[in-house]
C-alpha cells in the first residue's frame, strides 16, 4: 500500500486515461469490429430495401409485358398494326415502299462497292 500511496498524481491520471482508452477501444471493436459491424448491417439493410423496390418495379414491368404479349398473340388487328408501324408493311395491294441505304452504310463491315467514276 505504501507503494500506491507514494505514486505521483500525474501517473495515476495517466494510468486512468490509458485504461479508459483501452476500454473504449475494446468497446468500439466489439460493436464495429469484424467483417460485419453495425454500420455495415445498416448499409446492407438500405441496399436490400433499394433492391426490393427495384424487384417490385421489375415485376410490375414483367406483368405489363406479359399482358402485352398475350394481347399480341390473341388480337390480329394489333399484330397487324404493330407490323405496319415497326417494319413498314402494308396491307393487300397497296404500293410497297423500299428502304434504300446510302453507299456508306452498305460498305460498313463488307467489301467496298466499286465506284461509278
Amino acid at each position: 500500500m505504501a507503494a500506491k500511496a507514494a505514486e505521483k498524481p500525474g501517473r495515476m491520471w495517466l494510468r486512468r486515461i490509458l485504461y479508459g482508452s483501452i476500454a473504449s477501444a475494446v468497446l468500439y471493436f466489439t460493436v464495429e469490429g469484424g467483417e460485419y459491424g453495425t454500420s455495415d448491417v445498416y448499409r446492407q439493410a438500405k441496399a436490400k430495401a433499394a433492391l426490393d423496390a427495384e424487384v417490385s418495379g421489375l415485376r410490375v414491368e414483367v406483368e405489363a409485358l406479359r399482358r402485352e404479349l398475350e394481347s399480341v398473340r390473341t388480337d390480329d388487328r394489333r399484330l397487324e398494326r404493330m407490323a405496319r408501324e415497326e417494319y413498314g408493311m402494308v396491307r393487300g395491294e397497296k404500293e410497297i415502299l423500299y428502304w434504300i441505304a446510302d453507299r456508306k452504310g452498305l460498305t460498313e463491315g463488307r467489301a467496298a462497292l466499286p465506284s461509278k467514276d
Side-chain angles (χ1 to χ4, degrees):
M1 286 266 239
K4 278 197 170 187
E7 189 176 354
K8 294 182 181 177
R11 273 196 164 183
M12 184 178 66
W13 282 106
L14 183 63
R15 188 172 288 169
R16 285 183 182 175
I17 290 172
L18 179 65
Y19 290 147
S21 299
I22 291 172
S24 297
V26 168
L27 180 64
Y28 174 78
F29 284 114
T30 300
V31 173
E32 283 296 322
E35 190 172 345
Y36 296 108
T38 307
S39 61
D40 289 332
V41 171
Y42 288 127
R43 188 171 39 249
Q44 289 175 1
K46 274 183 163 178
K48 183 184 181 300
L51 289 173
D52 287 341
E54 184 179 352
V55 165
S56 66
L58 289 173
R59 283 186 177 140
V60 168
E61 185 178 346
V62 165
E63 186 57 36
L65 289 171
R66 281 188 180 142
R67 283 193 305 268
E68 184 175 346
L69 176 64
E70 189 59 31
S71 171
V72 169
R73 284 182 178 166
T74 59
D75 189 3
D76 290 336
R77 287 183 184 177
R78 181 176 173 139
L79 182 62
E80 183 181 342
R81 182 174 47 91
M82 287 176 63
R84 279 187 272 121
E85 288 174 358
E86 288 206 24
Y87 301 110
M89 295 181 151
V90 293
R91 263 193 225 172
E93 299 295 323
K94 295 183 181 179
E95 70 181 62
I96 299 173
L97 301 174
Y98 293 99
W99 292 96
I100 300 174
D102 61 343
R103 294 182 77 72
K104 182 179 179 185
L106 290 175
T107 60
E108 291 177 4
R110 292 189 268 173
L113 295 174
S115 65
K116 291 186 178 183
D117 294 336

